[in-house]
Amino acid sequence: MKNNNKTWSGKSRGGSFGHWFFIMIIRRIGIRAAYVFLSLIVIYFIPFAPKATQAIWRYNRHILGYGYFKSFFKLYAHYYVFGQTLIDKIAIKNGMSHRYHFDFENYDSFLELLNSGSVVMIGAHVGNWEIGSEFFGDYGSKLNVVMYDGEYQRIKAALKTQDIGYKIIPVNEGGIESLLRIKYAIDKGEYVCFQGDRYVDKKSTCKTSFMGKEVIFPVGPSLLASKFAKPTIFYFAMREKGMRYRFIFKTMEAKPSQKEILEHFVETLENVVKSYPQQWFNFYDVWQT
């Protein structure tokens, strides 16, 4: 599929060199030094990542309703906080979690569902969801993250020798092997985690209202959650001021329909994005403004 500012190709920005570079900075100089380098790198990305920059600009202007000058300032802030989440992820994976502070919402209910058996988790490309794998402990060995093959190959190249703390189920468009692996994980009493905000196959989507405008969301995660009839958890890890993260867990313990799961997910995601508007990390025009 062609990658333009209105669709997503199944592969995110970033490469193994940038990952290695920041690992060296963090290990040899420190986390805050990496933030300083980041502040310079962001200036490069604004003009040299034009499609992403255009998408963020439209998001600021047409979705958040910012004025011209505020949109320009928030454009820089958007890239900067995205870079911070990447640095934080690297730092924590390299044994520096003690440098951060973490708050949890509905954590007891979340653990109660994990202890009850298999669950379906649905997140989105907001905040820093991968950072949570550090805190799953023994639960991490039972966590299966479903992602498109392009993202999987990028992570695999960047983390050749590093344990990421969870298992990955790579998928292409409608691959039967991936569906079998998902069902196998559920049958084993494990957890399957989807990202509910991106798609590559428009046939498996539906239109809904999000942030005041019509948008297309994939139906796969909510459909599978309904078919499996397992508890559903919406999970987000959001960066706050300083070196602090807030983990947000919203649970659905009943056996809702696919439509109910999708509606509740979109509502929850909207509340999160409104609270953390610069942590919306879909760098393409989701609303096709």
Side-chain angles (χ1 to χ4, degrees):
M1 178 180 289
K2 184 179 179 181
N3 186 15
N4 53 46
N5 67 323
K6 294 186 178 182
T7 61
W8 178 65
S9 65
K11 184 175 181 179
S12 300
R13 294 189 64 89
S16 56
F17 173 78
H19 187 93
W20 172 86
F21 174 78
F22 277 107
I23 286 178
M24 293 299 102
I25 295 296
I26 292 167
R27 287 179 176 174
R28 297 179 183 274
I29 308 178
I31 299 171
R32 296 193 182 280
Y35 293 157
V36 173
F37 275 94
L38 172 66
S39 65
L40 302 175
I41 293 172
V42 166
I43 297 174
Y44 161 83
F45 267 96
I46 291 176
F48 290 103
K51 293 178 181 178
T53 296
Q54 186 181 53
I56 301 170
W57 177 263
R58 289 176 171 174
Y59 167 72
N60 287 332
R61 292 284 286 145
H62 300 296
I63 304 303
L64 300 180
Y66 292 160
Y68 186 88
F69 290 105
K70 186 174 182 179
S71 294
F72 184 79
F73 171 76
K74 292 297 184 180
L75 178 64
Y76 180 92
H78 209 120
Y79 275 123
Y80 184 76
V81 71
F82 177 64
Q84 280 186 310
T85 64
L86 299 181
I87 290 170
D88 295 343
K89 180 169 56 179
I90 294 170
I92 289 175
K93 288 294 183 185
N94 282 271
M96 300 181 189
S97 60
H98 62 281
R99 300 286 302 277
Y100 296 83
H101 300 280
F102 304 94
D103 301 309
F104 300 86
E105 289 186 12
N106 300 322
Y107 194 54
D108 291 339
S109 298
F110 170 65
L111 291 184
E112 187 177 327
L113 286 181
L114 293 189
N115 289 326
S116 69
S118 57
V119 301
V120 173
M121 299 173 62
I122 305 178
H125 292 82
V126 298
N128 195 1
W129 65 269
E130 289 176 84
I131 211 168
S133 62
E134 188 74 13
F135 304 95
F136 288 145
D138 293 338
Y139 297 104
S141 63
K142 300 171 66 176
L143 182 63
N144 300 265
V145 178
V146 179
M147 62 177 61
Y148 285 103
D149 190 61
E151 287 192 301
Y152 167 64
Q153 296 299 335
R154 179 181 61 84
I155 291 176
K156 185 177 179 181
L159 302 174
K160 289 180 180 178
T161 61
Q162 191 173 344
D163 180 14
I164 59 176
Y166 53 87
K167 293 177 282 189
I168 293 177
I169 300 179
V171 297
N172 293 315
E173 298 180 38
I176 187 65
E177 181 181 349
S178 302
L179 292 174
L180 292 175
R181 290 182 64 183
I182 292 169
K183 186 174 188 307
Y184 178 70
I186 291 290
D187 291 343
K188 283 177 61 180
E190 297 188 347
Y191 324 123
V192 178
C193 180
F194 298 92
Q195 299 303 312
D197 57 336
R198 290 184 182 176
Y199 65 92
V200 293
D201 182 3
K202 199 170 183 178
K203 293 181 290 185
S204 302
T205 61
C206 70
K207 293 181 179 180
T208 186
S209 177
F210 176 63
M211 299 292 288
K213 293 185 181 293
E214 187 179 83
V215 70
I216 296 175
F217 274 101
V219 298
S222 55
L223 178 61
L224 288 174
S226 176
K227 293 293 185 183
F228 290 137
K230 299 294 182 180
T232 302
I233 301 170
F234 304 131
Y235 157 63
F236 308 93
M238 310 307 297
R239 197 181 201 281
E240 300 196 323
K241 290 182 179 179
M243 298 171 72
R244 180 181 294 273
Y245 277 85
R246 176 170 296 277
F247 293 84
I248 301 170
F249 304 101
K250 302 292 184 181
T251 61
M252 298 183 71
E253 297 186 47
K255 297 180 180 179
S257 67
Q258 179 268 327
K259 181 181 179 181
E260 290 171 326
I261 294 174
L262 180 61
E263 289 176 348
H264 192 40
F265 168 72
V266 172
E267 178 185 359
T268 304
L269 178 60
E270 183 170 299
N271 290 334
V272 170
V273 173
K274 286 180 177 178
S275 297
Y276 303 89
Q278 265 58 63
Q279 294 186 52
W280 172 252
F281 296 144
N282 283 300
F283 294 98
Y284 63 101
D285 193 353
V286 175
W287 293 270
Q288 300 190 21
T289 55

